[in-house]
Amino acid sequence: MTQSVIVQVGQCGNQIGCCFWDLALREHAAVNQAVLIDMEEGVVNEILQGPLRDVFDSKQLITDISGSGNNWAVGHKVFGSRYQEEILEKLRKSAEHCDCLQCFFVIHSMGGGTGSGLGTYLLKVLEDEFPEVYRFVTSVYPSGEDDVITSPYNSILAMKELNEHADCVLPIDNQSLFDIISKIDLVVNSGKLGTTIKPKSLVTSSAGTFKKWQEKPFDAMNNIVANLLLSLTSSARFEGSLNMDLNEISMNLVPFPQLHYLVSSLTPLYTLADVNVPPRRLDQMFSDAFSKDHQLIRADPKHSLYLACALMVRGNVQISDLRRNIERFDCVFFKIIYVYCLRQCSRVLRRPLCKF
Amino acid sequence: MSIVTVQLGQCGNQIGFEVFDALFIDSHCPQRLSSKRENEAYQASCKERFFSEEENGVPIARAVLVDMEPKVINQTLSKAAQSGRWKYGQHSSFCQKQGSGNNWAYGYSVHGPRHEESIRNLIQKEVEKCDSLSGFFIIMSMAGGTGSGLGAFVTQNLQDQYSNSLKMNQIIWPYGTGEVIVQNYNSVLTLSHLYRSSDALLVHENDAVHKICAKLMNIKQISFSDINQVLAHQLGSVFQPTYSAEGSFHYRRNPLGIDWQIRPPLPGLPSLSKMSLNKELHFNTSIANLLILRGKDVHSADLEGFKDPALYTSWLEPVNAFNVWRTQRAFSKYEKSAALVSNSQFLVKPLDMIVGKAWNMFASKAYVHQYTKFGIEEEDFLDSFALLEQVVASYCTL
């Protein structure tokens, strides 16, 4: 079984990472390796005082005090060179704990200073030190209404690094996540489905009690990203009738080396209490996977071109269901060149279907 | 005469299990129509062919399981052990931790040489257990990375090491609508390499088997397990022992003694107490056909339809191209059953389609960097295309 090391950089990265571990531990007793990096202590300290304090120990953390001041240059050049050795050492240690290390997941934001600058500095370091290990980057892009003034500069500078040193990038933006939450909230509160929704099945809920999302909006949004990451790695952890591994994602979805940005979407956003999913509901899930409302980044592929597409399916879905739906999409996409086939994996566990 | 089976990749291992299960269940199926002696001879022959004996009586499949990641092999081994009927050898499997990533080049150029010796030793051990080896049966898919790439490498190895033994590859043709985006590349590379090192390619299309499940068997929610079982059933009815001569009690017929490319029938599943033979409305020209009949009334079956010269190419007499093997012992629970293995133009259309799609992708050089990373250059692709075009052309001129 292959393992991954999660590297969470900056405030955003660490908050998402925290939600990820929350969910991962719920699903799975074994702990993957993690390295937590932040140039100011606030977020990491909060993690260490929260319910996950037993999961991490101080050997996996790297912190500083002053932060990067939303400046990519500080994160990349100043902190990069200052902490390179220490970071490398922690990464090597984590890698040693792994039986078979397949992938580094780097989680960060593009708009800030640490996540963006130091996060992308790390990519070069990882490439040099562990050339055979994949580098999957989950990048939170700034939305239209972003509160960091320097975020455009930070993002562009980071993009260059992502282009050259990442194997695969999953861009995500806050506005899309927020829209998804609003959608869920609308459905939940409208009373249409009422008590038939399983409370913890929302793609936004955490392992703890079901909190109303207004209290901590980023929690719900971070949970969506965490769900995505979990689904990505699920095939490596569980059995299935047609497995798909991380290296297969990279192989099938990256036709040219620099075109490695994947638009992701998740469905369903919640599960009804009735576990037996009737075929029409399943078909609806497939259509939703291709709808812009379920995407984690603003993009409109239907009016552009799909280069490649992959479907990861979890739960009680058989090959005939998948084929039926693929054939449905064939006629929608036939005008689009180079749309290839969808790849699927199915397994017996929870529900989300994600599309890349 | 024993056959050593090599199961490669997720597909190969999943199917391999179903095949051995089908063979075992058939050989132990209670027979009303054959005599006891006949049945025992059949069982003994089947056993010798596919299983070897263990101390406590549980037969061990003559198989080597290979995969580059452990999950599927573990599942297969435990399913076999749990069934209680038969099992795989304790040390007959080889796996690594990280898969081939659907990359033919990785399977062929990296995993192949790296694990060549270990796999060879495993196969050697299995071969030594056989009194007389009739050949190898290699089960693999074309679309993935391990089955296709490593499969091609292993077949080549077997060709070098056991050049006198027959090698038959069971290849799974992927769904036309696709399972893996680079499946066409993987298929083209696999076929061109196998063409040079294998003696026979037995082809099963996922689409065709899926149709059988849907239309003939009326299964509503078809799973891979259903598909694999149908496949195993077809293979079982071809590979189980058959008489070597009329009226003789010796099942010695070499099951792999067919030395042309063969292809199994499309919807040809038999039903209880009805003899149903495969009949296409317009005929694809065949080079050779082999019909295997089992069960009641095998000797009185009317086979004139198969001797129609329209079925065969003009440079062959039907009598030379058509073979029939008859066995009175029925297969599984079917009173009468028939299996048709044919080498004909069936393959032209799917092959042409795959080559066409792969060529389109290659024209834009999409995904090629993933292959050149591991040593498969553009020339290798071009060679493969050329070879397959030649095969298509040869079949078309029949």
Side-chain angles (χ1 to χ4, degrees), chain B residues 86-344:
Chain B
W86 58 275
K87 60 182 187 185
Y88 284 106
Q90 240 179 352
H91 303 287
S92 319
S93 64
F94 176 81
C95 68
Q96 291 295 283
K97 305 207 184 111
Q98 214 181 116
S100 304
N102 287 161
N103 192 329
W104 193 92
Y106 200 74
Y108 186 83
S109 312
V110 177
H111 282 310
R114 203 184 277 178
H115 308 300
E116 185 179 346
E117 211 179 306
S118 315
I119 299 178
R120 199 184 322 151
N121 288 340
L122 273 184
I123 298 182
Q124 176 92 2
K125 260 196 344 208
E126 234 10 269
V127 169
E128 281 163 12
K129 283 197 230 164
C130 302
D131 278 336
S132 81
L133 178 71
S134 73
F136 297 95
F137 185 53
I138 303 154
I139 315 182
M140 54 200 260
S141 71
M142 290 205 305
T146 302
S148 64
L150 185 60
F153 186 85
V154 167
T155 310
Q156 232 166 278
N157 248 16
L158 288 177
Q159 167 79 326
D160 295 332
Q161 241 202 330
Y162 301 93
S163 46
N164 290 325
S165 303
L166 283 161
K167 287 159 292 299
M168 181 182 291
N169 292 65
Q170 158 69 51
I171 56 182
I172 302 299
W173 206 271
Y175 282 104
T177 46
E179 299 157 25
V180 170
I181 293 180
V182 290
Q183 68 187 38
N184 300 312
Y185 279 170
N186 292 341
S187 304
V188 162
L189 289 164
T190 308
L191 284 171
S192 63
H193 279 80
L194 283 183
Y195 196 74
R196 298 177 208 138
S197 44
S198 171
D199 296 309
L201 300 177
L202 197 55
V203 176
H204 269 103
E205 286 178 77
N206 269 348
D207 278 306
V209 183
H210 191 105
K211 237 196 316 191
I212 293 180
C213 289
K215 303 262 165 71
L216 288 183
M217 295 172 72
N218 276 320
I219 304 180
K220 287 286 180 295
Q221 266 207 317
I222 303 169
S223 64
F224 270 121
S225 162
D226 297 317
I227 292 186
N228 292 343
Q229 278 171 7
V230 169
L231 249 159
H233 187 105
Q234 285 195 349
L235 287 174
S237 62
V238 169
F239 284 119
Q240 285 290 43
T242 52
Y243 277 128
S244 61
E246 304 281 59
S248 142
F249 281 128
H250 295 288
Y251 291 91
R252 273 306 167 67
R253 180 75 57 121
N254 185 348
L256 298 179
I258 319 167
D259 51 7
W260 15 264
Q261 282 197 336
I262 49 186
R263 201 178 177 301
L266 292 179
L269 261 198
S271 51
L272 265 169
S273 75
K274 197 162 45 122
M275 179 87 89
S276 57
L277 298 177
N278 193 16
K279 258 205 167 103
E280 294 292 317
L281 281 174
H282 72 273
F283 300 123
N284 279 314
T285 318
S286 309
I287 300 181
N289 285 320
L290 169 66
L291 182 65
I292 303 174
L293 299 172
R294 298 179 191 270
K296 212 162 106 174
D297 302 335
V298 281
H299 298 291
S300 49
D302 171 23
L303 301 169
E304 283 316 306
F306 284 96
K307 302 195 184 140
D308 186 348
L311 283 174
Y312 301 97
T313 176
S314 53
W315 41 270
L316 268 182
E317 293 291 314
V319 68
N320 292 327
F322 175 65
N323 259 310
V324 59
W325 293 349
R326 307 168 203 258
T327 305
Q328 240 163 337
R329 201 271 192 189
F331 179 71
S332 209
K333 23 187 211 328
Y334 301 103
E335 204 175 88
K336 302 182 195 173
S337 67
L340 176 67
V341 184
S342 128
N343 184 356
S344 72

Side-chain angles (χ1 to χ4, degrees), chain A residues 2 99 235 238-241 243 248 250-252 254-256 308 318-321 323 338 340-343, chain B residues 10 69 71 75 97 101-103 175 177-182 207 210 221-223 361 364 367 369-370:
Chain A
T2 55
D99 198 16
S235 191
F238 302 108
E239 295 175 340
S241 64
N243 297 329
E248 292 173 20
S250 172
M251 172 72 181
N252 283 296
V254 181
F256 301 97
Q318 300 302 349
I319 185 77
S320 50
D321 302 312
R323 290 203 62 218
Y338 300 143
Y340 288 109
C341 346
L342 305 165
R343 174 82 160 88
Chain B
Q10 173 167 25
E69 55 119 13
K71 295 194 298 282
Q75 217 182 10
K97 305 207 184 111
N102 287 161
N103 192 329
Y175 282 104
T177 46
E179 299 157 25
V180 170
I181 293 180
V182 290
D207 278 306
H210 191 105
Q221 266 207 317
I222 303 169
S223 64
M361 226 195 238
S364 62
Y367 299 100
H369 73 280
Q370 310 265 19

